[in-house]
Amino acid sequence: MSDGPTEPAVVLAALERCLATADRPVPLHEPRFAGKEWDYVKECLDTGWVSSAGSFVDAFETMVAGLTGARHAVAVVNGTAGLHLALIGAGVDPGDEVLVPTLTFVATANAVRHAGGVPHLCDVERARLGIDPVRLEEHLSEVAERDDDGATRNRSTGARIRALVPMHALGHPADLDGLAALAERWGLALIEDAAQALGSTAGGRHVGHRGLAGVLSFNGNKIITTGGGGAILSNDDAFVERVRHIGTTARVAHRWELEHDAVGWNSRLPNLNAALGCAQLEVLDERLAAKRELTARYTDAFVDVDGASILQEPAGARSNYWLNAIVLDEPDRAVRDALLEVTNDAGIVTRPLWTPMHRLPMFADAPRMTDLTTAERLVDAVVSIPSSAHL
Ligand SMILES: Cc1ncc(COP(=O)(O)O)c(C=O)c1O
């Protein structure tokens, strides 16, 4: 980091040095299948076990639980479905408010709406990109109160505030110590949106099961992929039983009767996708190591770039560096857009962060913290850069 304006040509040159041997265009994040994927998928086709049960689903769940340290992992069709099920399983009822970051991929807020809830938008921290627990505490003290029965209510709407859903942006863990303590104080279910954070740890522990639950995504752009897919992590046996049940059409176990005791969903991950996932997980450690090397290379290359640096993992946490990112010292939409322009023109795919939820039409009326400027400034300061592990 140094002072002075950021020159797009200088940034491009730094990226070109790091990506000299990569074919153009260089995608932001590419899936790669160089392990046992063909063998495992062939086994599904040969045996006919292609749908939502099978040995690869069981093996995948065991592997995900093992490597995250969660007691349970429930494989689901995608991360959005996982968040939806987790919110329902946490008892989010129609009209309940759920605290989410305004700076997130839209699926976090969509899942709240799918569950009948109302996203309540929170600002984030500059360094970690996740919900700011100190400012959220101040906000809740102003707008909320706890009933005699322990429920937290929004004083102006009367709605119950039921859950807190932080998101680990780009793989960098949010402040889980602060957020877990806040959730405890206010009686909120803590559900981590860990869609981008497979392999990330905070305080030495894998993210995603600090509170009631967490959700991973295995979309094609993630660190490992099942094509589409996700997993709910939890250490709570009763919660896991509930989400498995409602995610499997709420079918009551019986040898032949098709009996259901609730309105459920069909959210289980097919065996075919789980087969891909098993092969991908076998190379996760290599991938995490390669990504750290890439981050080190980018970091070195940006030492001499004025006014910009490479985003680093927060203190006390280890990021999977899912997406590396350039951060401008001074947020500036025009400079950010100039960077996007020159890099994409040169065949190096770069992207801005997500449009904050409070700027999207469907969440325009959502309750929120009054000051969301840290998120706004980050959007004007951050550009994601190519981050596939094989780079
Ligand atoms: C933060 C975040 N939440 C949720 C999701 C939804 O996951 P999926 O695409 O698997 O539905 C994604 C990503 O793709 C994400 O990045």
Side-chain angles (χ1 to χ4, degrees), residues 211-353:
L212 178 64
V215 176
L216 301 169
S217 166
F218 307 114
N219 189 264
N221 64 353
K222 296 299 188 295
I223 185 161
I224 68 124
T225 185
T226 57
I232 303 170
L233 307 177
S234 180
N235 301 317
D236 184 317
D237 299 345
F239 166 84
V240 166
E241 198 174 313
R242 210 153 57 237
V243 296
R244 273 194 197 284
H245 184 63
I246 55 174
T248 321
T249 66
R251 184 173 172 199
V252 180
H254 189 279
R255 280 179 73 194
W256 46 75
E257 296 293 352
L258 282 174
E259 184 90 23
H260 308 262
D261 61 7
V263 176
W265 285 267
N266 176 16
S267 314
R268 303 302 311 281
L269 185 73
N271 203 45
L272 260 180
N273 301 76
L276 265 187
C278 287
Q280 292 265 289
L281 281 183
E282 287 169 1
V283 298
L284 177 64
D285 285 346
E286 282 162 43
R287 239 168 236 196
L288 287 166
K291 276 174 158 294
R292 292 188 83 77
E293 271 178 41
L294 178 61
T295 304
R297 221 157 75 219
Y298 277 139
T299 303
D300 281 353
F302 272 73
V303 165
D304 297 327
V305 175
D306 279 341
S309 58
I310 296 296
L311 189 67
Q312 301 295 314
E313 64 197 350
R318 207 170 157 84
S319 173
N320 67 358
Y321 284 106
W322 169 54
L323 286 186
N324 285 288
I326 300 168
V327 197
L328 301 176
D329 297 350
E330 274 311 311
D332 186 323
R333 178 64 66 111
V335 173
R336 183 203 79 166
D337 288 350
L339 293 188
L340 288 163
E341 191 97 27
V342 294
T343 48
N344 285 290
D345 284 353
I348 295 176
V349 176
T350 58
R351 290 290 180 263
L353 290 176

